[in-house]
Amino acid sequence: MPIKQNIKIAVDAIVFGYSDNTLYVLLVRQKYGELKKTWVLPGGFVKDEESLTDAVNRELHEEAGIKVNYLEQLYTFGDDIKRDHRGRVVSVAYFGLVNPKELKLIADTDAEDAQWFPVDAIPKLGYDHKDMINLAKERLKSKLTYQPIGFDLLEHEFLFSDLENLYTTILETGIDRRNFRKKILSFDLLEETDRISSSGSGRPARYFKFNKKKYQKLSKEGFYFEIKLV
Amino acid sequence: MPIKQNIKIAVDAIVFGYSDNTLYVLLVRQKYGELKKTWVLPGGFVKDEESLTDAVNRELHEEAGIKVNYLEQLYTFGDDIKRDHRGRVVSVAYFGLVNPKELKLIADTDAEDAQWFPVDAIPKLGYDHKDMINLAKERLKSKLTYQPIGFDLLEHEFLFSDLENLYTTILETGIDRRNFRKKILSFDLLEETDRISSSGSGRPARYFKFNKKKYQKLSKEGFYFEIKLV
DNA sequence: TCAAAAGTGTTGAGTTTACACCCATGC
DNA sequence: GCATGGGTGTAAACTCAACACTTTTGA
């Protein structure tokens, strides 16, 4: 190619996990350079022969040993030409979700260089990663209301109260339990299981699972999932 | 930076214009190289010292002499590592809208190297530009229903029938004139002008304008523009 | 006076919201 | 038997969808 260009291209991932009424973001400690030991989003430079998606998954694997449940492109950060102190770097940010199992995997390993932070207790971050997280939070909030994305943050089988808490914590809003259940059930996308919570206290609850296949089918036929919450 | 990377970064723009019940896309003729004379989207490599947005606007100016009314980032194409035959190129695609004045500007100049094509009469394009256009069409359709973006495709002052036709042509759907007008007016974002169409035939109609300021204000306060059309 | 497009209300259906009590279990 | 969380129905308010005739102009 006859062109000279001195811009590097990177990917970064904002990965959310949810557990015990808390939304978490995955951060890693920068290993080298000026920002050594600063917390940053997992990510790095794209290799010449790999796709952007592969780059994200590779970085997540290398830096955090994690595999996401859901991944989509979020936004490409390239308007601030000084966003990276090392030179011009354009970063394609991805938005990912993991289920609680993956979350615990890291939480349990006491790897010091990859950790989950509650979204409202994020340490000072390098680069423009705070902006990325904010944008991803917005995306998560809005997607929750028009795509059945919440299920990717829960176990395969979950209680209605789990789902309800997930919505209330992430959207920071109240929910009418009856209306919520009615609405969700009206989609006919949940399946009752035989499993009943071996409860802590209170009346035992039934586990449900989300029928993703059915959703994908209906979705192609023009079905829209939608949960309005004030 | 200690890293070696041989990836170039480009921007491409899918710019829509609307006139006489037709939706148009702006294309330019490739000037050099293997694809010389093929129609492609306006775009090109990003310069080291310019932001992505600046790059798009510059290319639009250079290649088509045009200024867009609305511009937003669409998607970054970088998963197919052979999407550009010249080498690895990641392209950040932008989505833009122009009003009819800008559209006519080029249509009138008989510049052979920048032309508007009706979206359902797009010639064979280079690279993956057809995919980009398809994605942009989807974005346009969905945005029309939840953001007052259609006004950016119309003159500053427009007739209700213009707006109605815009929605029907782009969304390829029917509209109940009464319900549509009722809905749009209920937002209280349009202002009547004194101007009356010096009509062709039929009863003269009144011109309206969109109060963008008011929309932006309401928008911050949690107002959502929404037009549901089957 | 006819053709062409603009303008205008009402009703029924469906959806959303608000709201409170009983149920099943563990301790 | 009491504390804890789970599960359930109904009525009023609102929003949406369907529907057709009158008005104003130019030819």
Side-chain angles (χ1 to χ4, degrees):
Chain A
M1 250 174 310
I3 185 158
K4 269 186 197 159
Q5 193 189 47
N6 190 26
I7 307 179
K8 298 285 172 264
I9 180 153
V11 289
D12 286 298
I14 302 93
V15 179
F16 292 109
Y18 173 82
S19 173
D20 300 305
N21 299 347
T22 313
L23 183 67
Y24 293 92
V25 181
L26 180 64
L27 296 178
V28 300
R29 236 196 268 269
Q30 187 86 314
K31 289 210 190 73
Y32 318 99
E34 205 175 306
L35 290 179
K36 190 173 166 181
K37 297 216 170 171
T38 310
W39 289 103
V40 293
L41 290 168
F45 292 106
V46 177
K47 295 186 175 172
D48 291 349
E49 304 286 335
E50 77 186 345
S51 73
L52 296 179
T53 315
D54 288 347
V56 182
N57 285 316
R58 175 180 53 74
E59 294 285 356
L60 285 173
H61 178 75
E62 288 175 8
E63 301 189 315
I66 216 170
K67 217 176 140 175
V68 291
N69 217 352
Y70 178 87
L71 189 71
E72 70 170 38
Q73 195 182 293
L74 176 66
Y75 190 78
T76 298
F77 290 75
D79 273 342
D80 179 359
I81 65 174
K82 299 204 186 313
R83 54 175 292 286
D84 192 314
H85 61 274
R86 296 165 297 183
R88 178 83 192 270
V89 179
V90 168
S91 174
V92 186
Y94 280 76
F95 164 88
L97 302 176
V98 295
N99 60 28
K101 259 180 211 129
E102 289 285 328
L103 189 139
K104 271 166 208 135
L105 223 72
I106 298 186
D108 291 350
T109 332
D110 48 7
E112 278 186 7
D113 43 355
Q115 256 177 243
W116 292 101
F117 287 81
V119 284
D120 36 44
I122 307 254
K124 198 160 183 60
L125 299 183
Y127 314 109
D128 49 3
H129 289 187
K130 194 64 199 284
D131 299 334
M132 292 187 180
I133 293 179
N134 287 335
L135 188 63
K137 267 165 68 182
E138 288 311 307
R139 181 85 134 237
L140 174 60
K141 282 189 186 184
S142 72
K143 281 238 159 179
L144 265 188
T145 69
Y146 67 89
Q147 273 188 30
I149 206 184
F151 304 107
D152 290 308
L153 285 169
L154 293 176
E155 309 270 7
H156 188 61
E157 301 190 345
F158 54 86
L159 306 173
F160 241 101
S161 53
D162 293 335
L163 190 62
E164 200 186 306
N165 288 331
L166 185 141
Y167 272 83
T168 50
T169 31
I170 297 181
L171 298 179
E172 298 169 288
T173 176
I175 283 187
D176 179 298
R177 188 151 34 106
R178 274 177 291 192
N179 293 339
F180 182 73
R181 190 182 180 112
K182 225 184 304 174
K183 182 74 180 172
I184 298 272
L185 288 177
S186 76
F187 296 137
D188 205 22
L189 288 170
L190 293 198
E191 284 168 14
E192 273 190 21
T193 67
D194 296 333
R195 204 169 138 221
I196 302 284
S197 70
S198 47
S199 57
S201 89
R203 176 173 172 177
R206 184 175 292 277
Y207 281 92
F208 287 82
K209 41 185 186 178
F210 175 65
N211 190 337
K212 196 167 192 170
K213 289 261 164 61
K214 186 166 181 188
Y215 167 69
Q216 287 165 341
K217 186 165 166 286
L218 287 176
S219 185
K220 273 177 205 152
E221 296 165 3
F223 164 81
Y224 291 100
F225 178 94
E226 185 169 27
I227 309 274
K228 282 192 196 144
L229 294 173
V230 186
Chain B
M1 253 174 305
I3 186 160
K4 271 186 198 157
Q5 192 189 49
N6 190 26
I7 308 180
K8 297 286 174 263
I9 181 152
V11 290
D12 286 298
I14 302 94
V15 179
F16 292 109
Y18 173 83
S19 173
D20 300 306
N21 299 346
T22 313
L23 183 67
Y24 294 91
V25 181
L26 179 64
L27 297 178
V28 300
R29 235 197 267 272
Q30 188 85 315
K31 288 211 190 72
Y32 317 100
E34 205 175 306
L35 289 180
K36 191 174 165 180
K37 296 214 172 171
T38 311
W39 289 103
V40 293
L41 290 169
F45 292 106
V46 177
K47 295 186 175 172
D48 291 349
E49 304 287 334
E50 76 186 346
S51 74
L52 296 180
T53 315
D54 288 346
V56 181
N57 285 317
R58 175 180 52 74
E59 294 285 356
L60 285 173
H61 179 74
E62 287 174 8
E63 302 189 313
I66 216 171
K67 217 176 141 174
V68 291
N69 216 354
Y70 177 87
L71 189 72
E72 70 169 39
Q73 196 182 294
L74 176 66
Y75 189 77
T76 298
F77 290 75
D79 274 343
D80 179 0
I81 64 175
K82 298 205 187 313
R83 53 176 293 283
D84 192 314
H85 60 274
R86 297 165 296 183
R88 178 82 191 271
V89 178
V90 168
S91 173
V92 186
Y94 280 75
F95 164 89
L97 303 176
V98 295
N99 60 28
K101 258 179 213 131
E102 289 286 328
L103 189 139
K104 272 165 207 137
L105 223 71
I106 298 187
D108 292 349
T109 330
D110 47 6
E112 278 186 6
D113 42 353
Q115 258 178 242
W116 292 100
F117 287 82
V119 284
D120 37 44
I122 306 251
K124 199 159 182 61
L125 300 183
Y127 314 108
D128 48 3
H129 288 187
K130 194 65 200 282
D131 299 335
M132 291 187 182
I133 293 179
N134 287 336
L135 188 63
K137 268 164 68 182
E138 289 310 307
R139 182 84 133 239
L140 175 61
K141 282 189 186 185
S142 71
K143 281 239 161 180
L144 265 188
T145 69
Y146 67 88
Q147 274 186 30
I149 205 182
F151 304 107
D152 290 309
L153 285 168
L154 294 175
E155 309 270 7
H156 188 61
E157 300 190 346
F158 54 87
L159 306 172
F160 241 101
S161 54
D162 293 334
L163 190 62
E164 200 186 307
N165 288 330
L166 185 141
Y167 271 83
T168 51
T169 35
I170 298 181
L171 298 179
E172 299 170 289
T173 177
I175 284 187
D176 179 297
R177 188 149 34 104
R178 275 176 290 193
N179 291 340
F180 181 72
R181 190 183 179 110
K182 223 184 307 175
K183 183 74 182 173
I184 298 273
L185 288 178
S186 76
F187 296 138
D188 203 23
L189 289 170
L190 294 197
E191 284 168 13
E192 273 190 21
T193 68
D194 295 333
R195 202 169 139 221
I196 303 287
S197 71
S198 46
S199 57
S201 90
R203 173 173 174 176
R206 181 176 293 279
Y207 282 93
F208 288 82
K209 40 186 186 176
F210 175 65
N211 190 337
K212 196 166 193 171
K213 290 260 164 62
K214 185 167 180 188
Y215 168 69
Q216 287 166 339
K217 186 165 165 286
L218 287 176
S219 184
K220 272 177 207 152
E221 296 165 5
F223 164 81
Y224 289 101
F225 178 94
E226 185 169 25
I227 309 274
K228 281 192 196 144
L229 294 173
V230 185

